[in-house]
Amino acid sequence: MKAGRLGAGILFGLLAPCFIAPVPAQIAPRLTGATILTQLETARHDLAARAASLPNSSLAATSQRLAQLAEALRKALGNDAEKPIDIIGTDAKASAYRASAAVQRTQAYLDATKGCLTADATTMADALATTVDLLASESGSSKTQPVINGVETMDHRQLFVLGNGSKEVAFALVGTNLVDTQCEDPLVSATDRQGKRLAIQPSVTGVSPSRIELKLANSADLQSGSYVLHVQSKHKAFLVGCTAQPEAIAVVQAAPPVKATVNYALTATCRANGAEHAMPPVTGTLPDLAGGNTVSQQVVTNGCSDPVSYAITATVTFSDGHSASIGPISQIASAGITAGLQGGYSLSWDPSVHQIFVHTSPSTCKGVY
């Protein structure tokens, strides 16, 4: 019996190393003013670098505004820069929260504009500029400071531009302390950049402390320009009930979708009398492309009874004057041709029906609804 117990003990000792305790998840350090100041400097630098590729946008000015915001925050923090912002004075904490919101919105812009058309990126930059300006000029503070860190579509994509199409639009404001569930729902109103109440107002469809979901019944009524959303919430305090909190703001830009036209040239190579020769190109234009549609055009290649191959070139021109070209792309006469165009469009040539198609899709720019 003793030998059996000894053997079992040895076996357990050999197996024991196999049972390794899981490594506990790491907890992120608490947010401090010094951390936000570092983030502001990074955001300022990255935005200035992006501004080089959009010289006619507001990005350079916004980068400088971030530097001013950092300087103001540094003064507000004083000797408390290394402390968690949740335990510093309410005025400094409110400044830190607003500066952090500016950082998050800037980073969202940098991520969402990758691959966007110049017109879309520039319009998104206007939304960011207004956001940073308003955050820098906001005042008021509370222990439960409401702050909006971003605007999202319902599937959690960052949102900067609302297109004024004839459709219902749903989106969300995300942040902290947006509602106290012991008080009534927050009031959300929309104004222009100067504070004038707009004709079209959002309706609140759902609320939580970190998210307010909104709906616009008809985006066709949106006027181009800044669409500033003001959130007025309340917080319940001991003995005094629900009291008004400092306003939280968010900004999206309203703008018409970027339009495009496609110009094409189709060249047939034909066989006649034992020789091959290229015919004069047949040219045409497919106008007014819009998201989600397909347009087509019949192409007549007269004088080519025995085609050998077809070659196509195309240029897409956007309403901001920007254009991009492809081709020539060649295939044997019996094969179709499909090629991608800038802006999410694709062009196809179908020789069996002698038609050119351009397929369009919703904006490929992540920040545009």
Side-chain angles (χ1 to χ4, degrees), residues 90-91 94-95 98 138-142 145 246:
T90 54
D91 289 346
S95 296
R98 286 191 280 262
E138 283 288 295
S139 59
S141 62
S142 73
Q145 179 70 32

Side-chain angles (χ1 to χ4, degrees), residues 346-361:
S346 63
L347 179 144
S348 299
W349 159 248
D350 186 343
S352 65
V353 292
H354 274 243
Q355 281 188 307
I356 288 178
F357 300 85
V358 173
H359 307 277
T360 68
S361 60

Side-chain angles (χ1 to χ4, degrees), residues 16 21 55 58 78 93 97 114 131 133 163 201 237 246 252 254-255 287 294 344 355 361 366:
S58 55
K93 177 171 70 174
Y97 270 129
K114 293 175 181 176
T131 300
D133 279 345
Q201 292 291 316
V252 291
T294 298
Q355 281 188 307
S361 60
K366 295 179 181 178

Side-chain angles (χ1 to χ4, degrees), residues 210-252:
S210 61
R211 187 176 177 89
I212 299 176
E213 295 183 348
L214 304 171
K215 179 177 68 175
L216 291 175
N218 188 352
S219 61
D221 296 331
L222 286 173
Q223 298 297 313
S224 295
S226 294
Y227 196 80
V228 184
L229 298 156
H230 307 259
V231 175
Q232 297 172 311
S233 59
K234 293 184 177 182
H235 177 72
K236 189 171 185 180
F238 183 61
L239 296 179
V240 296
C242 292
T243 57
Q245 298 296 291
E247 182 180 82
I249 62 96
V251 180
V252 291

